[in-house]
Amino acid sequence: MDNSETIYQSKEYLRSRTAYTLYCAFEYFITLLISDAFLAKLLKAIGVSDSVTGIISSIISFAFLFQLLSFFAASRIKNAKSVIIAANIGSQLLFAAMYLIPFADAGVKLKTFFVISCLVTGYAFSNFVAGMLFKWANSYVDKSKRGIFSAYKEVISLIGGMIFSLVMGVIVDSFDNSGNKSAGFLFLAVTVLVLTSFNFICLMLIGGENNRDNPKTNPPFGKIIANTLKNRNFRRIVVLTILQYTALYTTIGFMGVYKIGILGFSVAAVQIINIVANICRAVVSAPFGRFSDRHSYAVGMKVAMGLLSAAFFINIFSAPQTKWFVIIFSVLHCVSLAGSNQNSFNIVYDYVENDCIVQALAIKNCIGGVCGFLASLIASRLLAVIGEGGVNIFGLTVYGQQILSAISAAVALSAVFYTKYKIENNRSKEKNQNGQS
């Protein structure tokens, strides 16, 4: 065993990896509590309409913009660990405060403003330090084993999240059934606070800033631009990301209120559906990774977008009489995430130099996030025009979320063809040219 292997097996490194794994799980639990059915229930309780609920649910896509701020601040921060801890804890405290808003003596507009403020500011804090946290925590992981570590970390979060969300759903439903919704919101606020304290402990247990494999080097601005905005292949990846985010945020943000409102599912039932979907995602995650390694990240992304298109197509048929279609939608959506999450990150390595990867990812995510948020705004206006009662088409009642799903299915399908003819085929041509030269 060489000196490098000895270091990675040391107590400090093992403790740091364990703490980071637990942090990711607890952070995921908090994310579950501020999204989908839980967020929809909060917004419905303060009187927010379905169309506005979708916009608020999609606010995370807009928060990617704050990753760009870290470009200019990272090199000036002397104690990254302290800044990361402060930003993350501040973010999660704001998320906890969201569930105290129903108790405020204020009107619907003011309460809605408070919810949006907590979400935007909370996600702004977490996105600002996201890159720094990833780089810091992963410096305690052997770079030859980071893929395996990430896979195990995600599975732990997913399995823990399944159990956690089901328990939380049952508890919240029990408060509702007893006619005490206020106690349910207070319970959620306290739960987020407890998870925040766990996260604080985990972050403190991770060792100090470690530059062993991540030296503090900032590539020149000109090199970043050459690798990103002036790079035709990278621009194609950005276009693919725009299509992906547009397909997702046109519909996803409006599904939570659709499930517990029009379709009539309880919060616990929604969590059971999510558990089934996440089990499927966990099962296919590793095979999807091996498939992409064998064929290419572009092919993996194409398959993921195909599954996403199929998911939204199935969701077109989900209605109160056929609400079980939403189960198939949820499974296909989560399975598509198993491919898109890993491939949308890895595909950048094919076209961007390693020292510009962090900046390239931030630019890609920011542009895609803004487009996704704009898509949710347009979808919200369409949903408002259609109304909560839906429209009558050929004697059938068609709801807004079904129409949005048709749009998302078409956009995701266009992403399949774009990946095939602009990215996958182009990658093959480059390999052939390199082989001939």
Side-chain angles (χ1 to χ4, degrees):
M1 181 180 292
D2 61 27
N3 186 51
S4 175
E5 291 176 331
T6 303
I7 289 176
Y8 286 112
Q9 293 303 315
S10 67
K11 289 184 178 180
E12 180 187 8
Y13 277 61
L14 288 170
R15 185 194 70 232
S16 297
R17 291 197 296 273
T18 302
Y20 181 42
T21 300
L22 291 174
Y23 166 82
C24 290
F26 294 139
E27 183 187 42
Y28 178 60
F29 296 170
I30 293 175
T31 300
L32 291 174
L33 294 183
I34 59 168
S35 59
D36 201 40
F38 293 107
L39 180 59
K41 181 170 283 293
L42 169 66
L43 296 173
K44 205 169 189 67
I46 65 177
V48 178
S49 67
D50 288 1
S51 58
V52 176
T53 294
I55 295 175
I56 296 174
S57 300
S58 303
I59 208 79
I60 182 175
S61 65
F62 188 72
F64 277 123
L65 276 174
F66 293 93
Q67 287 187 16
L68 288 177
L69 295 178
S70 63
F71 283 5
F72 309 101
S75 60
R76 295 188 174 98
I77 294 175
K78 295 182 179 179
N79 191 336
K81 180 175 180 177
S82 297
V83 173
I84 291 168
I85 292 175
N88 271 278
I89 300 306
S91 168
Q92 291 157 14
L93 289 176
L94 286 168
F95 294 150
M98 281 171 43
Y99 284 107
L100 300 178
I101 291 173
F103 299 96
D105 183 17
V108 174
K109 290 184 178 179
L110 190 56
K111 288 181 178 179
T112 305
F113 171 77
F114 286 150
V115 170
I116 294 174
S117 298
C118 287
L119 269 179
V120 171
T121 310
Y123 277 120
F125 283 162
S126 61
N127 273 276
F128 174 68
V129 297
M132 290 184 280
L133 172 60
F134 178 82
K135 188 174 181 179
W136 163 49
N138 276 280
S139 67
Y140 288 92
V141 182
D142 188 338
K143 59 183 178 182
S144 65
K145 299 177 181 178
R146 283 176 185 168
I148 297 173
F149 175 78
S150 296
Y152 285 144
K153 182 163 59 67
E154 182 177 81
V155 169
I156 290 171
S157 293
L158 283 174
I159 294 175
M162 294 174 199
I163 300 169
F164 176 79
S165 61
L166 177 60
V167 172
M168 295 302 295
V170 170
I171 293 174
V172 170
D173 281 342
S174 68
F175 281 120
D176 283 356
N177 295 333
S178 65
N180 195 359
K181 288 186 178 181
S182 297
F185 290 133
L186 184 60
F187 175 76
L188 287 170
V190 171
T191 302
V192 175
L193 285 174
V194 171
L195 291 171
T196 300
S197 66
F198 290 165
N199 273 339
F200 174 75
I201 294 171
C202 289
L203 290 173
M204 289 297 294
L205 288 173
I206 299 176
E209 197 169 4
N210 178 14
N211 296 319
R212 176 182 176 83
D213 294 314
N214 293 285
K216 279 192 170 181
T217 56
N218 295 309
F221 184 73
K223 185 177 182 181
I224 294 174
I225 297 299
N227 269 266
T228 56
L229 300 181
K230 290 184 177 181
N231 182 343
R232 182 180 61 180
N233 291 321
F234 175 76
R235 292 199 302 269
R236 287 173 173 167
I237 301 301
V238 172
V239 172
L240 172 60
T241 304
I242 290 172
L243 293 173
Q244 176 191 0
Y245 279 43
T246 299
L248 282 170
Y249 288 105
T250 293
T251 303
I252 288 297
F254 305 93
M255 284 304 297
V257 69
Y258 187 58
K259 292 172 188 174
I260 67 174
I262 294 172
L263 297 185
F265 285 106
S266 66
V267 175
V270 171
Q271 301 317 311
I272 291 173
I273 293 171
N274 290 341
I275 285 172
V276 172
N278 278 314
I279 288 174
C280 295
R281 176 181 172 180
V283 169
V284 304
S285 183
F288 220 132
R290 287 193 292 269
F291 174 85
S292 297
D293 285 339
R294 188 180 305 117
H295 296 282
S296 81
Y297 302 131
V299 173
M301 196 67 186
K302 181 183 67 175
V303 174
M305 288 298 96
L307 289 169
L308 185 63
S309 180
F312 284 122
F313 178 77
I314 290 294
N315 202 46
I316 296 173
F317 304 100
S318 64
Q321 299 81 9
T322 55
K323 61 183 182 182
W324 57 270
F325 272 107
V326 85
I327 300 174
I328 304 175
F329 159 76
S330 298
V331 170
L332 287 174
H333 173 232
C334 277
V335 170
S336 75
L337 290 178
S340 62
N341 278 4
Q342 54 183 274
N343 287 305
S344 64
F345 174 86
N346 289 325
I347 197 172
V348 180
Y349 279 98
D350 283 340
Y351 304 105
V352 177
E353 293 182 43
N354 284 351
D355 57 345
C356 295
I357 286 293
V358 174
Q359 291 84 353
L361 286 171
I363 292 172
K364 177 181 76 73
N365 290 337
C366 287
I367 295 175
V370 170
C371 291
F373 184 70
L374 292 176
S376 72
L377 291 178
I378 296 171
S380 172
R381 293 305 305 153
L382 180 59
L383 201 62
V385 170
I386 295 171
E388 295 183 14
V391 293
N392 189 286
I393 300 178
F394 302 119
L396 295 174
T397 300
V398 178
Y399 296 96
Q401 282 82 350
Q402 292 174 282
I403 295 174
L404 295 181
S405 293
I407 297 171
S408 290
V411 175
L413 185 61
S414 70
V416 173
F417 288 108
Y418 185 84
T419 306
K420 171 68 176 177
Y421 295 107
K422 290 294 184 179
I423 300 176
E424 180 188 345
N425 285 355
N426 184 64
R427 181 66 177 166
S428 299
K429 289 177 183 178
E430 286 185 351
K431 285 186 176 180
N432 290 335
Q433 288 173 357
N434 290 337
Q436 292 171 358
S437 61

